[in-house]
Structures are given as C-alpha cells and as structure tokens.
Amino acid sequence: ASSSSSSNTGGGKATGGGGELLRSFHAHHRPVRAIAFVSDGGVLLTGGADGVVHAWSLLEILSSSSSSSHVGPIRTFSDHRLPVTSLSALPSGRALSASSDRQLCVLDVPSGTTVARILLPSGPTALVTDDDGRRAYAGCVDGVVYRIDLDSYALSTTAEGAGGSFSSSSDAARSRAGGGGGGGGGGGGAWDPLADVLGGGTAAATLATREGAEARRGR
C-alpha cells in the first residue's frame, strides 16, 4: 500500500499496489502539503498548510474495521507558524519538517517531542537527507541550498545562484548530487557533497527539550 495527499481538501488517501483506493480520511484543516514514512514504514507523517504535522498508524489507516471518519493521529506536532512545505524521514523514528516560517524541526515521533529547531535564512521549499540521516539539504526560496549537519546542528551554504526558488525535493536532490538546481531561473549550483570545501558551519539550532540537548552531546 502507499499513501498520497489530497492537496485541496486536507484529506489523505491510501492506495493499493494496483492503484485502487483503500482508504480516505480527514487529515488536516487545510490542504496536505507533504507526506513521509517513518519507523520502517509503520507510521505515516502528513504536513499541512495549517502548519501542523500529524503522525498516523498505517495499520489503523488500512484496517477494514475502522471507520474512515474516525482515524486519529497518534502524534501531533505544532511547532510551525506557517504551512509545512516538506517532510523527510530520519533513522530511529525521527523526521525533519520544513515550513515557510523558515524553520526545520527535528521531530522524535516515538516520544512526540521536538528535539531541535533550526532557523534558515530563507523559507525552505524542498528537503532531502543523506541515507545515514546525518546531513540534510534544504532548497529555499532565495535559490540557495543549505546543508545542515544533524550531528552538530550547524548550517552551511552549499549551492548559490540558482536564479529562483527550488520547487520540489527532487530539485534539491539533483543539486546535492551535482546535477544542477531546480531554481526558477533555470540555473543551478553543483558541488561534491563529500568534499569538505565549506569550512565550519554556523550554529543555527535552539534545542526544545533537555532530552534533545543530552542526545546531541551524547553523539
């Protein structure tokens, strides 16, 4: 099964392998803008134009015994003040949420806590992470891709001069891989993400919880 968003109504839809609709449910008060799977695919995250991120049990969504009008989130995160623009899964049941309010939030889904908030210079519209979940790349409306070290929560500028905003996570991924950005101006920055050419980053996070601070120091 897979899940998709109903962007005009704030609803969510679950479809089978053949594309058939298995379930629809009301997810947000405003349109759904982003989805991601965490916890080995057992939890679905949805981010809405209402600034809220919900976590849903996929088992409950797909259960035939549940009424479509009574599916409730197992976790809710209300850190953002403007629409959520992108979500990306991290290891150990964590995820990143990006919003037009310029914040990236590190969400711990099992505990329902926000581990860190990272303020970007511009509103992020696209977000991808490395396979090991230690670095994130955010494409923003200023045409710049920012690299975030998730071990130290340090921020670096990685690609500039895209000529416009990044419109999707695939744009940021192409720029991260050196294939050019997806800015509105048709240009793009390319670099080797494995090369340490940027020097030190700038600290850009405020920890929301004591547990988050302890987890960061323990890494």
Side-chain angles (χ1 to χ4, degrees), residues 128 130 135-139 144-147 156-160 166 171-181 188-198:
V128 292
D130 284 346
R135 287 182 177 180
Y137 300 84
V144 178
V145 176
Y146 296 93
R147 183 181 67 188
S156 300
T157 300
T158 57
E160 299 184 62
F166 288 81
D171 287 341
R174 285 196 298 271
S175 186
R176 179 192 68 174
W191 77 97
D192 181 359
L194 300 180
D196 188 15
V197 298
L198 299 173

Side-chain angles (χ1 to χ4, degrees), residues 1-92:
S2 62
S3 182
S4 63
S5 62
S6 180
S7 60
N8 293 326
T9 64
K13 296 180 180 179
T15 58
E20 71 276 16
L21 178 65
L22 299 178
R23 188 70 177 274
S24 63
F25 58 98
H26 185 77
H28 291 266
H29 296 297
R30 297 188 65 191
V32 176
R33 296 302 190 197
I35 62 172
F37 290 99
V38 296
S39 301
D40 297 323
V43 175
L44 170 68
L45 292 182
T46 60
D50 51 10
V52 176
V53 176
H54 288 309
W56 311 83
S57 167
L58 196 58
L59 180 63
E60 182 179 359
I61 290 174
L62 299 177
S63 173
S64 59
S65 63
S66 298
S67 169
S68 62
S69 61
H70 290 90
V71 177
I74 57 175
R75 295 284 187 267
T76 295
F77 301 89
S78 304
D79 302 280
H80 295 295
R81 299 185 301 273
L82 292 175
V84 175
T85 57
S86 189
L87 294 168
S88 185
L90 295 171
S92 303

